[in-house]
Amino acid sequence: MDTPNKTPSTFIEGMRTRRLTTTFTLLATLSIGIIAGSVLTRNVSGKEQSSVNSTDAKPLVIPSPVALSNGFSQIVKQVGPAVVNINTEELPKPSTSKRGRRGAPHGAQPSDPNSDDDSQQQSPGDMQDFFNRFFGGQGGGDDNDGGAAGERRALGSGFIVDPRGYIITNNHVVDKADKIYVKLSTDPDGGPGDEGRPATVIGVDKDTDIAVIKIDTKEPLPTIKLGNSDGAQVGDWVLAIGSPFALSKTVTAGIISAKNRSIDEPSPNGVSQTQFQRFIQTDAAINPGNSGGPLVDMAGQVVGMNTAIYTQSMGSQGVGFAMPANIIASVYNMLIGPEHKVVRGSIGIQFQVAQSSAVNRVYGFANGVIVGVVTPNGGAAKAGIQAGDVIVSIDGRNIKDGDDLVNDISARHVGSTVKLGYLRDGKQNSANVVIGDRAKTYADITGQPDDTSTPQEADAGEGKLGITVSAIPPTLSAKVGIKGGVIVTNVRPGSFADEIGLGKGTIITAINRKAVTDEASYRAIVSTLKSKDDVVFVIQSPTQKNLNSYVGGTLP
């Protein structure tokens, strides 16, 4: 008997019906299982809560504080109070003001640290100089806090070495600053207006990037001791203390990675301006804000001052540089002296810093320095030293290299005499050379003015008062009917003169009851003024005859 054939549509409908039936059956089974599991779980959970006894569980107890074996915390407690924050402000300058470069080498290759201290930023791919980017208003406003237009606020660190308020920091932290504020570790962190205590610059040395500043204090301040950096060894533990990224009282630890490290870059004229910068290298984390802070050994003594980092990321990459304590002490002692500046000796020569051993063999000497250039009218030139001579000894002591020569000569007093032993055409000779002033010698070589003069020397009133003056034009002198005095040609915003209302165009005829007859008498009077002195000006109106006014205030 033939079986009837089902049509395709009938077959498909049958398959769909069976599939739906199966699906509903599975869903029903799963639902029943889930509901049953939930009920069982709830019942079991309730039984556990009611039947389990935890009276034998012991509560956790916080132990008493213990001192760790490395002793880092003890060192921080000892030296931390002497580490300070330094804020600086640079006020807007008139468009006619002259702001030159510091003259530091620049244009480093991507693999070299850049030590250009200029307000221009470098490309992000270059190795960046730690302080060029972040401190002393040098970094194009990275530390701007949103103050007055054109005003920049930078942050650095420093450490107190004298209880009367003397503080050591980096020159690039305070360079070009119009106002400097210091916040002690004990000062509270406040809001706007809580910048810290006003500080004054005692002296700076750009060759080593060291500055000494001072704050007034009625009570002795905590201090930190300088150690002997010559005794520091590669591998020794050290701590870096400062305010990275404005985070005060920050401590990082590492070791001394290397000593006598140079990060100098030759300047276009071949004369190094940083040849006195021989750093301690450390892998302790140093970041923006650490600059000027101490690098401390395990005895709690300063072995270096954190100055620069080697980085591609604007932050620490484990290669930091600190100025050795022995150099700091020597510079500090000169900066607190009567002249407030560092004077170094020079014999007036230039030489190649590094040379091949083949040069030594051809010229017949093992140790020494080949003279490249002799500065006219310098001590070496007057003693008969010539280019090509090889200096091999100083006062009978054989010298190793150029660093040895520079370190010896620079430490000698200007005007003293030294006996140099030298080779010329293979023959031994000697000459007595008078030591000159390195700063003046450098100015002769580069054709630039001597940069060691203080602002008061360059313009008697610019540094202390914030004004520049000139002789009164004859026509104006006749108009107002005076024979002496000087006229104010510029007033620095935010300066002492600006704050007391001494304006541009004002005629000064007397200061503190002493007659100002000309520019020379003006400079002589201003040179005697000191911080906290009362200063009163007798001023003459440039538009009216015989109208004297009295303006005064107390120098900061």
Side-chain angles (χ1 to χ4, degrees), residues 118-121 132-144 152:
D118 187 71
S119 58
Q120 300 297 320
Q121 297 182 7
N132 178 50
R133 186 79 175 184
F134 297 100
F135 297 101
Q138 309 303 320
D142 283 305
D143 292 304
N144 198 331
R152 290 185 288 178

Side-chain angles (χ1 to χ4, degrees), residues 220-367:
L221 298 177
T223 62
I224 189 171
K225 294 182 179 179
L226 265 66
N228 190 327
S229 53
D230 287 345
Q233 301 296 318
V234 174
D236 286 351
W237 279 105
V238 285
L239 302 178
I241 308 177
S243 305
F245 303 109
L247 300 172
S248 62
K249 308 170 190 175
T250 296
V251 182
T252 55
I255 63 169
I256 293 177
S257 306
K259 294 180 63 178
N260 198 35
R261 187 73 82 193
S262 172
I263 55 175
D264 190 20
E265 180 80 6
S267 59
N269 53 34
V271 182
S272 170
Q273 287 188 289
T274 56
Q275 65 186 108
F276 298 101
Q277 296 185 13
R278 294 294 183 269
F279 296 100
I280 292 174
Q281 182 182 327
T282 179
D283 67 349
I286 298 174
N287 285 293
N290 278 115
S291 192
L295 188 70
V296 182
D297 63 15
M298 296 305 291
Q301 297 181 335
V302 177
V303 293
M305 176 172 60
N306 304 317
T307 300
I309 59 174
Y310 196 54
T311 181
Q312 287 180 310
S313 64
M314 300 293 112
S316 175
Q317 291 185 281
V319 184
F321 302 96
M323 181 60 62
N326 289 17
I327 295 177
I328 296 172
S330 176
V331 171
Y332 173 85
N333 290 338
M334 285 186 275
L335 292 180
I336 63 173
E339 296 184 354
H340 300 299
K341 67 178 182 178
V342 177
V343 179
R344 295 184 174 90
S346 171
I347 57 175
I349 65 167
Q350 296 180 58
F351 57 86
Q352 186 176 336
V353 176
Q355 56 194 24
S356 169
S357 57
V359 177
N360 296 25
R361 291 191 293 270
V362 170
Y363 280 81
F365 68 97
N367 298 302

Side-chain angles (χ1 to χ4, degrees), residues 280 384 408 518:
I280 292 174
D408 188 304
D518 52 23

Side-chain angles (χ1 to χ4, degrees), residues 483-539:
K483 296 182 179 179
V486 293
I487 187 169
V488 177
T489 57
N490 188 53
V491 180
R492 189 176 71 238
S495 65
F496 169 73
D498 187 31
E499 291 178 354
I500 66 173
L502 197 64
K504 183 178 179 180
T506 300
I507 297 173
I508 300 173
T509 58
I511 302 175
N512 285 0
R513 305 179 68 176
K514 297 178 180 178
V516 175
T517 57
D518 52 23
E519 292 179 85
S521 63
Y522 165 81
R523 287 192 294 269
I525 297 171
V526 173
S527 66
T528 64
L529 300 177
K530 302 183 297 297
S531 176
K532 303 305 178 184
D533 280 355
D534 288 330
V535 184
V536 177
F537 301 87
V538 179
I539 59 176

Side-chain angles (χ1 to χ4, degrees), residues 430-447:
S430 64
N432 293 321
V433 180
V434 177
I435 304 296
D437 188 329
R438 180 181 180 274
K440 294 180 179 178
T441 302
Y442 180 84
D444 291 339
I445 295 173
T446 61

Side-chain angles (χ1 to χ4, degrees), residues 451-463:
D451 196 32
T452 61
S453 61
T454 63
Q456 292 89 342
E457 292 170 332
D459 189 312
E462 173 62 24

